[in-house]
């Protein structure tokens, strides 16, 4: 007979019932820079990885899911079933001529993983790919007149990623992995233009575009034991080819002549402009020394400049992390993991000639749950994005991440005396 944990099973059922109405249904960002491209790109790494600077190409572990490299799935135990989900809270200060503060929060990811055979493992789940959430105003003066016209720009939406991955154990030290993902989501844009001399006379442009498409990636990991007991070195890498997303757009234009009268002057459904996602590749290394600590570093590259637009630039991401590994001890806090990391992202676009880069530091810990191999991963990120040069906006933010890495033994036969 198969033994299932009632706790894990109950949590899975509750999350799946809440998922359709809650997961990613709200904006995960309030950044004016999400007006560019496909919005703010979400961090692929969650749980343990976030506290390690977002690294993951060369990370392995039997008790957590590493979403950055599907080859890491081969580290899952034969009888283990892993379930992970998380939430985040983010507080952002936008600085230009005045300071503004924005709170954001949502569920971050949901994923499951387990073995099919001793040499084949799989995982599946859902997480965000990008987020859009902005609201700002531009003002200009009509040439030859003293009339002032202002336009409110509002955007929301973003892309979600529904994925399925496999890890294949080729030998004791070498593994391959692959992932197929369905990308979908809306991009909603609204522009409301008003003349200051006649504020009731407004023109509103509204576009609701829904995109979808498939992406793929492959990865590898190679691990080698070093001379010292409990020491090993792992190398990993991932490659994803370029893809295009297509969709349909509903565009409408309304003209308002008073607060209660609005006339729709245009409404049409058309094919949306295709969105180009460039190829992406990266590699990393991790070193575990005498089962005491972990050092890891990653490098990622994506040639966004291949898009036919001057605003795009090639994106590079550098990240590194350190972890003080848990001990086999009766003392609870000695069985916890303690982590720190750094991440620098050049960004993938320019605004007014300036690159919008992102630099952040992170700290965190993994707290084991009593009488199980499950872990509560807590991390805090603090960073800065953008610049105040040329009238741009500098964002300073703090982000709290909570991820529940839940472990259970499935497919275990009960024994009767």
């Amino acid at each position: 007979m198969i033994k299932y944990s009632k706790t894990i099973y109950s949590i899975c059922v509750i999350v799946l019932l809440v998922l359709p109405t809650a997961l990613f249904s709200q904006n995960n960002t309030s950044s004016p820079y999400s007006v560019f491209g496909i919005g703010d790109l979400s961090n692929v790494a969650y749980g343990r990885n976030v506290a390690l600077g977002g690294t993951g190409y060369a990370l392995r572990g039997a008790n957590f899911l590493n979403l950055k490299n599907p080859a890491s799935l081969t580290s899952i135990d034969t009888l283990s079933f892993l379930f992970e989900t998380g939430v985040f809270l983010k507080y952002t200060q936008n600085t230009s001529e005045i300071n503004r503060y924005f709170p954001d929060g949502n569920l971050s990811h949901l994923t499951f993983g387990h073995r099919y055979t001793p040499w084949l493992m799989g995982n599946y789940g859902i997480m965000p790919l990008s987020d859009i959430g902005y609201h700002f105003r531009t003002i200009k003066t009509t040439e030859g007149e003293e009339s002032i016209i202002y336009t409110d720009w509002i955007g929301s939406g973003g892309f979600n990623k529904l994925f399925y991955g496999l890890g294949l154990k080729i030998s004791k030290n070498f593994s391959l992995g692959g992932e197929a993902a369905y990308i979908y989501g809306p991009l909603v844009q609204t522009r409301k233009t008003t003349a200051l001399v006649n504020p009731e006379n407004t023109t509103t442009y509204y576009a609701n575009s829904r995109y979808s498409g498939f992406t793929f990636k492959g990865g590898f990991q190679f691990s080698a034991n070093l001379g010292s007991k409990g020491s090993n070195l792992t190398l990993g890498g991932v490659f994803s080819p370029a893809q295009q997303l297509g969709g349909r757009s509903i565009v409408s234009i309304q003209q308002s002549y008073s607060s209660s009268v609005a006339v729709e002057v245009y409404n049409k459904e058309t094919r949306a402009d295709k969105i180009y996602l460039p190829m992406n590749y990266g590699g990393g290394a991790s070193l575990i020394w005498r089962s005491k600590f972990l050092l890891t570093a990653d490098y990622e590259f994506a040639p966004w400049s291949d898009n036919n637009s001057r605003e795009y630039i090639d994106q590079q991401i550098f990240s590194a992390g350190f972890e003080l590994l848990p001990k086999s001890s009766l003392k609870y806090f000695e069985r916890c993991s303690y982590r720190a990391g750094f991440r620098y992202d050049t960004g993938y676009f320019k605004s007014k000639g300036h690159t919008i880069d992102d630099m952040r530091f992170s700290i965190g810990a993994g707290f084991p749950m009593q009488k199980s191999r499950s872990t509560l991963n807590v991390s805090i990120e603090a960073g800065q994005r953008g610049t105040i040069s040329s009238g741009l906006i500098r964002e300073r933010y703090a982000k709290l991440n909570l991820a529940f890495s839940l472990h259970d033994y499935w497919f275990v036969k009960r024994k009767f005396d």
Side-chain angles (χ1 to χ4, degrees):
M1 183 180 295
I2 297 175
K3 179 184 177 182
Y4 298 91
S5 168
K6 292 182 179 180
T7 301
I8 303 296
Y9 181 77
S10 299
I11 292 176
C12 293
V13 171
I14 292 172
V15 172
L16 289 174
L17 290 175
V18 175
L19 175 65
T21 56
L23 189 60
F24 317 133
S25 61
Q26 299 177 359
N27 287 339
N28 295 345
T29 184
S30 299
S31 172
Y33 293 122
S34 63
V35 69
F36 294 99
I38 63 173
D40 288 349
L41 299 179
S42 299
N43 189 358
V44 177
Y46 294 102
R48 177 193 185 195
N49 308 65
V50 174
L52 294 172
T55 58
Y57 288 136
L59 289 181
R60 296 176 64 80
N63 300 324
F64 76 97
L65 292 168
N66 175 14
L67 302 181
K68 290 200 71 173
N69 191 342
S72 67
L73 292 170
T74 59
S75 60
I76 299 175
D77 290 340
T78 304
L79 301 178
S80 295
F81 180 88
L82 300 181
F83 164 70
E84 184 171 306
T85 188
V87 297
F88 75 90
L89 296 172
K90 185 177 181 182
Y91 189 74
T92 305
Q93 177 196 51
N94 288 355
T95 301
S96 54
E97 296 179 356
I98 58 175
N99 293 334
R100 294 183 178 180
Y101 303 90
F102 300 94
D104 294 291
N106 210 333
L107 295 177
S108 59
H109 66 293
L110 173 68
T111 182
F112 305 83
H114 57 85
R115 282 180 178 252
Y116 297 113
T117 71
W119 47 269
L120 183 65
M121 305 80 182
N123 76 323
Y124 38 90
I126 184 173
M127 62 183 180
L129 177 68
S130 70
D131 302 302
I132 295 176
Y134 60 84
H135 185 182
F136 57 89
R137 173 175 291 183
T138 58
I139 301 175
K140 68 176 183 179
T141 303
T142 304
E143 186 176 354
E145 301 179 10
E146 296 182 355
S147 176
I148 296 177
I149 297 176
Y150 59 88
T151 302
D152 289 309
W153 304 72
I154 304 172
S156 61
F159 294 133
N160 294 326
K161 176 181 176 181
L162 187 65
F163 63 91
Y164 182 82
L166 290 173
L168 179 64
K169 194 169 187 177
I170 303 299
S171 67
K172 180 180 179 180
N173 299 327
F174 185 69
S175 299
L176 294 175
E179 179 188 278
Y182 176 67
I183 308 298
Y184 66 96
L187 302 182
V188 181
Q189 298 173 308
T190 302
R191 297 199 305 267
K192 186 176 181 180
T193 302
T194 306
L196 190 60
V197 294
N198 189 4
E200 293 187 348
N201 190 347
T202 64
T203 302
T204 303
Y205 169 89
Y206 174 83
N208 187 340
S209 304
R210 305 194 70 87
Y211 287 91
S212 63
F214 290 91
T215 62
F216 308 91
K217 74 176 179 182
F220 80 91
Q221 282 189 340
F222 175 80
S223 297
N225 292 327
L226 304 180
S228 302
K229 185 177 179 180
S231 300
N232 67 74
L233 175 68
T234 301
L235 303 176
V238 166
F239 173 80
S240 178
Q243 302 287 340
Q244 283 189 334
L245 304 179
R248 305 289 296 180
S249 293
I250 297 178
V251 179
S252 67
I253 299 176
Q254 289 187 348
Q255 184 67 46
S256 299
Y257 299 99
S258 68
S259 59
S260 59
V261 178
V263 178
E264 187 173 62
V265 296
Y266 181 86
N267 188 301
K268 187 176 182 180
E269 180 176 351
T270 62
R271 179 178 298 177
D273 294 335
K274 288 189 175 182
I275 292 178
Y276 174 80
L277 301 179
M279 72 173 183
N280 181 284
Y281 63 83
S286 68
L287 171 67
I288 295 178
W289 184 251
R290 295 182 180 270
S291 299
K292 294 181 179 180
F293 61 82
L294 164 76
L295 291 173
T296 180
D298 281 359
Y299 170 75
E300 305 173 47
F301 179 80
W304 284 90
S305 62
D306 290 348
N307 278 279
N308 296 322
S309 175
R310 294 182 179 179
E311 69 183 18
Y312 289 100
I313 63 172
D314 292 339
Q315 181 184 31
Q316 299 184 79
I317 301 176
F318 305 86
S319 52
F322 170 82
E323 181 175 16
L324 186 62
L325 298 173
K327 300 178 181 179
S328 297
S329 173
L330 295 178
K331 297 181 179 180
Y332 178 77
F333 288 104
E334 291 185 354
R335 292 187 284 114
C336 297
S337 303
Y338 301 96
R339 305 158 184 153
F342 169 78
R343 174 184 171 94
Y344 175 73
D345 183 351
T346 64
Y348 70 99
F349 59 86
K350 295 190 298 184
S351 180
K352 297 183 179 179
H354 296 274
T355 59
I356 308 301
D357 57 356
D358 186 331
M359 181 175 63
R360 69 185 72 175
F361 294 89
S362 58
I363 59 172
F367 299 101
M369 299 182 185
Q370 296 290 349
K371 298 181 181 180
S372 75
R373 295 168 64 182
S374 300
T375 306
L376 169 62
N377 295 295
V378 181
S379 62
I380 297 175
E381 297 176 277
Q384 178 175 298
R385 182 187 186 204
T387 176
I388 57 175
S389 299
S390 303
L392 294 174
I393 292 175
R394 181 183 63 205
E395 299 177 346
R396 288 177 173 168
Y397 58 86
K399 187 176 180 181
L400 172 65
N401 303 281
L402 300 177
F404 301 89
S405 298
L406 304 179
H407 176 279
D408 192 22
Y409 290 105
W410 282 28
F411 316 112
V412 178
K413 293 184 179 180
R414 291 185 183 272
K415 292 183 178 180
F416 300 93
D417 295 330

